[in-house]
Amino acid sequence: CDKDKVEMTDFEEAKDKVMMGAERRSMIISDKEKRTTAVHEAGHALVAKMLGDGDDSDPVHKVTIIPRGRALGLTQQLPTEDRLNLTREYALNRIAILMGGRIAEELTTGNITTGAGNDIEQATELARRMVCEWGMSDRMGPLTFGKKEEQIFLGREIAQHRDYSEATAVRIDAEVSDMVKTGYDKARKIIEERRDALQRIADALLE
């Protein structure tokens, strides 16, 4: 471009390109796929917005359905200040936000797609870390599960070893499942009560 100075939009574009890859505006996407992506991202955005800003959630910064990298769309939250520690409520809200896309698809189209796969993976991993690393489970208590050992020579920084019984593993799996399902239920309630808002956000993204 012919600009003689850098503006905030340039920083925004650079940030997105570094974090998510270049825009893929030439990518051929059917209208049905676009609608599904818009509904999915609207679900994330609506849940994030309704959970509020502050200590327990970050403000919604951007929502888009312009493909970048491997993602067909994106809902981006940015904290207002550096977040050095996560609270239990913040982590639980994050799980709910991750579930928002799948729920929006389910309630709007009556179906779910593989687009929610990464969200589910992130939510499950977050819940497992809450239980196994951060002692955020009332049921399991302030304990850590899974001994970590550095194994640089194997090409990996950290390897995790199970140092607990099979019975404990079953309890961990149940607690992880409950945390994700709790987040799912929280997000579903928000979206069910605000279906009109969900539709308006999706329509705006398509426009």
Side-chain angles (χ1 to χ4, degrees), residues 16-88:
D16 287 351
K17 189 171 184 179
V18 169
M19 292 177 66
M20 297 165 286
E23 286 187 355
R24 301 166 66 190
R25 289 180 180 268
S26 61
M27 186 176 181
I28 299 173
I29 306 173
S30 70
D31 289 342
K32 183 178 179 181
E33 289 273 11
K34 286 180 185 175
R35 166 63 64 178
T36 299
T37 302
V39 166
H40 184 103
E41 297 305 329
H44 287 313
L46 179 58
V47 175
K49 184 65 178 175
M50 296 314 300
L51 288 175
D53 308 335
D55 291 339
D56 295 334
S57 188
D58 294 325
V60 176
H61 177 69
K62 174 184 290 186
V63 190
T64 179
I65 59 169
I66 297 173
R68 278 187 180 273
R70 292 186 298 174
L72 295 178
L74 169 81
T75 298
Q76 187 178 58
Q77 294 173 262
L78 291 179
T80 53
E81 58 187 29
D82 289 342
R83 194 176 285 282
L84 304 178
N85 286 298
L86 305 185
T87 65
R88 184 176 188 272

Side-chain angles (χ1 to χ4, degrees), residues 47 51 54-58 77 83 85-99 119 122-131 134-137 176 179-180 182-184 186:
V47 175
L51 288 175
D55 291 339
D56 295 334
S57 188
D58 294 325
Q77 294 173 262
R83 194 176 285 282
N85 286 298
L86 305 185
T87 65
R88 184 176 188 272
E89 194 60 30
Y90 178 94
L92 290 172
N93 282 344
R94 181 66 192 147
I95 292 171
I97 294 164
L98 286 163
M99 291 289 107
D119 298 332
Q122 287 186 56
T124 305
E125 177 61 22
L126 181 53
R128 190 164 292 280
R129 295 190 71 184
M130 290 174 70
V131 175
W134 302 332
M136 290 182 175
S137 162
V176 169
M179 281 184 170
V180 175
T182 297
Y184 178 94
K186 182 189 290 188

Side-chain angles (χ1 to χ4, degrees), residues 35 39 42-43 46 107-108 189-204:
R35 166 63 64 178
V39 166
L46 179 58
L107 293 179
T108 303
K189 185 173 187 292
I190 289 172
I191 293 174
E192 283 181 334
E193 292 175 351
R194 296 167 179 83
R195 293 281 289 273
D196 290 346
L198 178 77
Q199 196 61 56
R200 290 197 301 272
I201 297 169
D203 290 343

